[in-house]
Amino acid sequence: PLNLGMIAAYYYVQYETIELIAASLTAKTKVRGILEILSHASEFGTLPIRQGEEKALRILARTLPSKLPDSAQFSDPRTKALVLLNCHFSRKPLSTDLRTDQKRVLCDSINLIPAIVDVISSNGWLKPALAAMELSQMVVQGLWNKDNVLMQIPHFTREIVGRCEAYQGEEPIESVFDILTLDDDIRNDLLRLPDDKMADVAVFCNNYPNVDVSFEVQDSDEITASDPVQIAVKLERDIDDEDDEEDDVNESDLGKVAAPLFPKEKREGWWIVVGDTATNTLLSLKRVNLQRSQKVMLEFMAPDEAGDHTLTLYVISDAYLGADMEFEVPLS
């Protein structure tokens, strides 16, 4: 387990923030709880509350899908951070001043969330770690985790998503990849967007990560209870063969996140996690950046009881909704 001071130093996060995170988390914390913990970071304590803003924040809060905690005070910068994050996920229009503050909150949040994940990981809790990773995706794409993943695509509205959901083709349209595989005339009829917007859609869909994952448990025949186990995991980005042959692929563009609502450039990060869902235990975690391919070795102790166990390997994006993968890892 990482000590809190090391986590604070690694992410340049104030130590009191890390202490607050550690004191507030439990094995059962869900996305909303992590969002509240995030908004209480000391980093947000210096957000300005301008004249008349308390009233504006109170009005905004009334229109949000989730209720603020009862303790929320609109004169408190941390309540302001929470309202601005909520507005981002609900894509609410804001005044220029609030928009500037929101950008700052988003940029700080994307640095704070990996620190939250590490604090959770040092407690060995699986579900809260996955919830914090989901929150990272929400911050980058400006959506709630329950929103349709198609809403990430630029210019997509609820109406367009409604038409996609109602589409009666051979296959339902459920993922970003499904948009790419549609016939042009069907896609044009569903999206009804002008050419310049259609081009933005194409760029997003082609950038959306298509990643192949392979893994192998090392010396799997010789594992005994409480022994160290190693799993070698390989991530490989699936790149269109045509693009590859034409050398169109600019290596520095690989792994650049398409996120129209996030205020600065972001590179794709992936959390690779081994967990036991039956006991809500996180056994091992690594975070990697991915351009073309990436290998990583995860290590943990085998369960104490002998016999057959099924663990889960998760590969979780820090930037896109709907791109996560999970695999069963049988151990005997």
Side-chain angles (χ1 to χ4, degrees):
L2 291 166
N3 101 15
L4 298 181
M6 281 164 67
I7 297 175
Y10 183 80
Y11 293 105
Y12 298 104
V13 171
Q14 294 185 29
Y15 186 71
E16 58 189 311
T17 296
I18 294 291
E19 275 197 318
L20 171 96
I21 292 167
S24 311
L25 287 161
T26 72
K28 293 193 174 125
T29 308
K30 295 187 170 68
V31 172
R32 190 165 297 170
I34 291 171
L35 177 56
E36 283 176 23
I37 293 168
L38 168 66
S39 68
H40 273 78
S42 313
E43 280 72 0
F44 299 137
T46 55
L47 275 177
I49 304 273
R50 302 176 190 86
Q51 183 132 19
E53 245 173 30
E54 283 179 46
K55 187 178 169 199
L57 291 168
R58 187 173 273 112
I59 291 167
L60 279 169
R62 278 193 212 122
T63 66
L64 295 170
S66 61
K67 218 165 110 5
L68 294 185
D70 297 334
S71 60
Q73 299 287 331
F74 289 97
S75 54
D76 181 349
R78 290 164 303 193
T79 298
K80 177 174 180 172
L82 183 57
V83 171
L84 293 177
L85 283 162
N86 274 282
C87 288
H88 177 59
F89 307 140
S90 296
R91 300 189 166 183
K92 296 260 180 231
L94 295 173
S95 67
T96 315
D97 278 344
L98 286 177
R99 187 102 124 275
T100 306
D101 297 334
Q102 186 187 51
K103 281 181 181 167
R104 185 188 137 191
V105 170
L106 296 175
C107 293
D108 280 350
S109 294
I110 213 62
N111 183 46
L112 286 161
I113 293 170
I116 295 177
V117 171
D118 281 1
V119 174
I120 297 170
S121 158
S122 64
N123 284 303
W125 296 325
L126 178 62
K127 284 179 191 152
L130 299 175
M133 294 169 193
E134 243 180 295
L135 181 59
S136 180
Q137 301 167 2
M138 291 161 52
V139 166
V140 175
Q141 293 299 338
L143 286 171
W144 289 99
N145 52 342
K146 61 183 185 311
D147 285 327
N148 189 310
V149 297
L150 298 175
M151 285 296 292
Q152 297 172 97
I153 304 172
H155 315 301
F156 266 49
T157 57
R158 305 251 175 245
E159 291 74 35
I160 294 177
V161 170
R163 289 198 291 270
C164 291
E165 286 174 332
Y167 170 68
Q168 299 283 328
E170 287 171 24
E171 297 285 321
I173 303 172
E174 291 170 343
S175 76
V176 173
F177 301 119
D178 297 338
I179 298 291
L180 283 173
T181 53
L182 290 170
D183 290 343
D184 288 355
D185 50 344
I186 295 175
R187 190 187 305 120
N188 291 339
D189 181 52
L190 288 170
L191 274 51
R192 301 174 198 170
L193 291 169
D195 289 350
D196 57 332
K197 291 187 173 175
M198 223 34 155
D200 294 338
V201 170
V203 167
F204 180 91
C205 293
N206 286 315
N207 272 340
Y208 190 80
N210 190 359
V211 176
D212 294 324
V213 176
S214 54
F215 64 91
E216 188 183 4
V217 180
Q218 310 292 292
D219 307 322
S220 56
D221 309 341
E222 298 161 26
I223 295 170
T224 54
S226 306
D227 254 12
V229 181
Q230 288 188 318
I231 301 182
V233 183
K234 184 177 185 195
L235 309 186
E236 198 149 14
R237 192 183 296 280
D238 206 350
I239 295 168
D240 210 342
D241 295 340
E242 293 163 21
D243 292 350
D244 226 9
E245 279 161 22
E246 293 165 18
D247 288 334
D248 276 355
V249 181
N250 178 349
E251 291 292 323
S252 65
D253 283 345
L254 288 177
K256 221 185 200 169
V257 175
L261 296 179
F262 191 69
K264 64 176 184 184
E265 189 179 291
K266 166 102 182 75
R267 311 295 304 186
E268 254 177 54
W270 294 84
W271 280 288
I272 304 169
V273 179
V274 176
D276 183 345
T277 51
T279 58
N280 187 23
T281 310
L282 186 151
L283 297 164
S284 185
L285 171 132
K286 290 252 168 92
R287 180 180 154 101
V288 297
N289 289 341
L290 178 66
Q291 279 189 294
R292 209 173 260 267
S293 73
Q294 182 68 269
K295 286 182 177 153
V296 60
M297 188 72 81
L298 295 174
E299 198 170 294
F300 56 93
M301 301 314 257
D304 296 339
E305 305 83 38
D308 294 343
H309 294 271
T310 303
L311 303 177
T312 308
L313 172 71
Y314 298 89
V315 178
I316 309 270
S317 167
D318 71 350
Y320 292 101
L321 291 97
D324 306 337
M325 291 163 280
E326 53 182 88
F327 308 89
E328 284 194 351
V329 182
L331 286 187
S332 42

